[in-house]
Amino acid sequence: MGGSGNAARRMGGSARTASVLHSALTALANGEPLPQELGIDPQALVGLSPSEFADALVDAIRPIDGTQDAEATRDSVARALSDMLDQNADITSLTPQQVDQVTASTLGYDVALRIELDVGKAIIAKAPTKGDGLERLQEMKDYVREIVAAEYAEERASVGTVGRAAIERISRNAIQQAFEVFEEDGEL
């Protein structure tokens, strides 16, 4: 990924996607129309099952474009929404904390998946054994998710709300921190 600063810049699209997801889920929870940028016809959503509704959101938030980055982000949004559907079958009425949970999960999954795609082979190759490398890669992915969760908790505690600018800042900070830690350890 080219170092912590470059990684944070490259992942800017992930932060924007998470911001759009946050806005969409907040609008749904407040009974407001979905953001126009999604291009979703509200009538097209009527009668969809919760999982079909989630799939429609994924398609609108991050359309398929065939790039590795887009596919990683799509998968991350889908995983985070699926996790929430396991807890709450109605993603149209989430609490602000649940919206934050989905958004933070999306970022955590996305950054972790990108790390695996971009530097996973190098981490595994530098390890004494393949098992050690896989364990170290998992540690890195878990660390990223923890950073994102901690940054969200800190933002919510200090400001009370997590807006679009904060989401982008949290994402950049988490990415940069993870890469700095693992660069220092010689894993990247």
Side-chain angles (χ1 to χ4, degrees):
M1 281 185 145
S4 60
N6 191 35
R9 281 187 296 281
R10 181 170 170 239
M11 297 283 298
S14 299
R16 284 187 294 281
T17 296
S19 295
V20 172
L21 174 63
H22 191 276
S23 297
L25 293 175
T26 300
L28 288 168
N30 294 333
E32 300 168 354
L34 287 167
Q36 280 190 319
E37 65 193 278
L38 293 180
I40 294 179
D41 175 11
Q43 295 301 326
L45 301 175
V46 174
L48 295 180
S49 71
S51 61
E52 291 170 331
F53 190 92
D55 289 344
L57 276 179
V58 171
D59 288 340
I61 290 168
R62 192 63 163 115
I64 295 172
D65 71 6
T67 65
Q68 188 178 56
D69 288 348
E71 292 310 308
T73 301
R74 287 177 54 80
D75 182 65
S76 299
V77 173
R79 285 183 192 202
L81 288 171
S82 177
D83 289 350
M84 185 51 65
L85 284 172
D86 289 344
Q87 298 173 31
N88 180 352
D90 184 6
I91 59 173
T92 65
S93 64
L94 302 178
T95 66
Q97 292 78 15
Q98 289 172 316
V99 171
D100 286 345
Q101 180 183 342
V102 172
T103 308
S105 292
T106 296
L107 287 172
Y109 281 131
D110 200 20
V111 175
L113 183 56
R114 302 274 194 99
I115 287 170
E116 183 174 5
L117 292 170
D118 289 352
V119 297
K121 287 181 183 178
I123 290 171
I124 294 167
K126 288 183 177 184
T129 68
K130 183 176 181 177
D132 289 341
L134 290 170
E135 185 176 310
R136 188 64 174 154
L137 180 60
Q138 188 60 49
E139 287 174 10
M140 189 174 186
K141 291 170 21 177
D142 292 344
Y143 181 78
V144 166
R145 286 191 289 269
E146 288 173 18
I147 290 171
V148 171
E151 292 263 343
Y152 258 86
E154 184 178 317
E155 185 74 21
R156 172 134 331 258
S158 68
V159 181
T161 59
V162 180
R164 184 173 254 180
I167 291 166
E168 292 185 14
R169 186 182 72 256
I170 289 166
S171 176
R172 283 190 305 273
N173 289 347
I175 295 160
Q176 191 153 357
Q177 284 180 43
F179 272 78
E180 286 171 356
V181 165
F182 287 90
E183 283 174 338
E184 286 175 14
D185 289 347
E187 299 297 327
L188 297 176

